[in-house]
Amino acid sequence: MTPAPLHLPLLHAVTSDEIVARPDFLDRARRFARAAGARGAIHLRGHRQTGRRLYDLAETLAGLQRETGCWLLVNDRADVALVSGAMGVQLTSRSLSVSDARHVAPGLAIGASVHDVEEGVLAAHAGADWIVAGHVFPTASHPDDPARGPRLVSALARRTRIPIIAIGGIVPRRVPRLRAAGAHGVAAIRGIWDADDAGRAAIDYLTQHDADGPG
């Protein structure tokens, strides 16, 4: 497996508008960050949030980043990532291009979200540090969109030389299969934020990640 730049975390906890609106969101984020440490990343995603609200959340999560080593990655908004002190930005189809983001924010680590091999190859050639690929398994987030399966990860691993983070319907028991397919790590939404204890969930995912050897 290709070594990850900047020691890219293995477990990525992705938020949504509904998740960041929960009154216990920051408490759950703290539990996750403390359990995962530098092996974890929180993706702050909230398309309906105002810039101010995103910045306030990012500033708090950046404090957790400094305290625990758990990365903060801001989805889409390179400006919020820059001013908050986040480690990086996760770009989507609605974002700046990878090359434009690199020009605007050369100090940020940059990931790109992709849904097929062609998108992944283009993102890698454009200079993305990693790709988030999915959805791999069926998920309630995309009920009408067929899952791509671990074969998407395998195909991307053959065609690119940057780390792949698999997303979509991923529960801990599926992590070793994705590692075998070539994934550097995994991303989860409900598996982290809907768990009784986000810290315990982080440990469960990371334990499965290590089942075939330390990452």
Side-chain angles (χ1 to χ4, degrees):
M1 185 170 298
T2 303
L6 304 176
H7 303 291
L8 180 68
L10 309 174
L11 176 60
H12 296 238
V14 182
T15 73
S16 66
D17 285 291
E18 181 269 333
I19 288 166
V20 300
R22 294 176 182 175
D24 65 345
F25 166 63
L26 289 175
D27 179 63
R28 286 176 176 268
R30 289 186 187 95
R31 290 175 181 272
F32 173 84
R34 289 168 180 164
R39 305 181 88 202
I42 295 174
H43 287 236
L44 179 59
R45 184 182 66 166
H47 298 318
R48 297 193 300 273
Q49 305 301 306
T50 65
R52 182 68 202 187
R53 168 67 172 157
L54 277 177
Y55 172 72
D56 288 345
L57 287 170
E59 189 176 41
T60 300
L61 295 173
L64 275 179
Q65 178 180 264
R66 293 188 294 272
E67 174 191 336
T68 66
C70 179
W71 284 25
L72 168 62
L73 300 171
V74 180
N75 186 276
D76 186 44
R77 297 289 300 268
D79 57 339
V80 174
L82 274 173
V83 298
S84 66
M87 186 67 72
V89 61
Q90 180 69 39
L91 302 177
T92 69
S93 59
R94 57 185 281 162
S95 309
L96 292 171
S97 68
V98 172
S99 57
D100 286 342
R102 185 73 70 194
H103 177 73
V104 170
L108 288 180
I110 297 176
S113 297
V114 306
H115 303 92
D116 57 40
V117 175
E118 181 180 359
E119 288 182 347
V121 170
L122 289 173
H125 286 170
D129 292 309
W130 69 89
I131 48 180
V132 173
H135 60 284
V136 177
F137 297 106
T139 171
S141 300
H142 302 278
D144 301 319
D145 192 4
R148 281 76 172 174
R151 63 185 179 277
L152 172 62
V153 175
S154 299
L156 285 166
R158 289 193 299 270
R159 295 284 304 279
T160 66
R161 292 294 181 268
I162 60 175
I164 302 160
I165 303 299
I167 191 170
I170 297 172
V171 293
R173 62 181 171 79
R174 287 172 164 162
V175 175
R177 182 180 176 190
L178 293 167
R179 287 273 287 156
H184 170 75
V186 300
I189 303 174
R190 292 173 182 81
I192 299 294
W193 304 112
D194 288 357
D196 291 337
D197 185 327
R200 178 70 253 177
I203 292 170
D204 290 343
Y205 276 97
L206 290 170
T207 297
Q208 289 297 318
H209 184 281
D210 293 342
D212 61 344

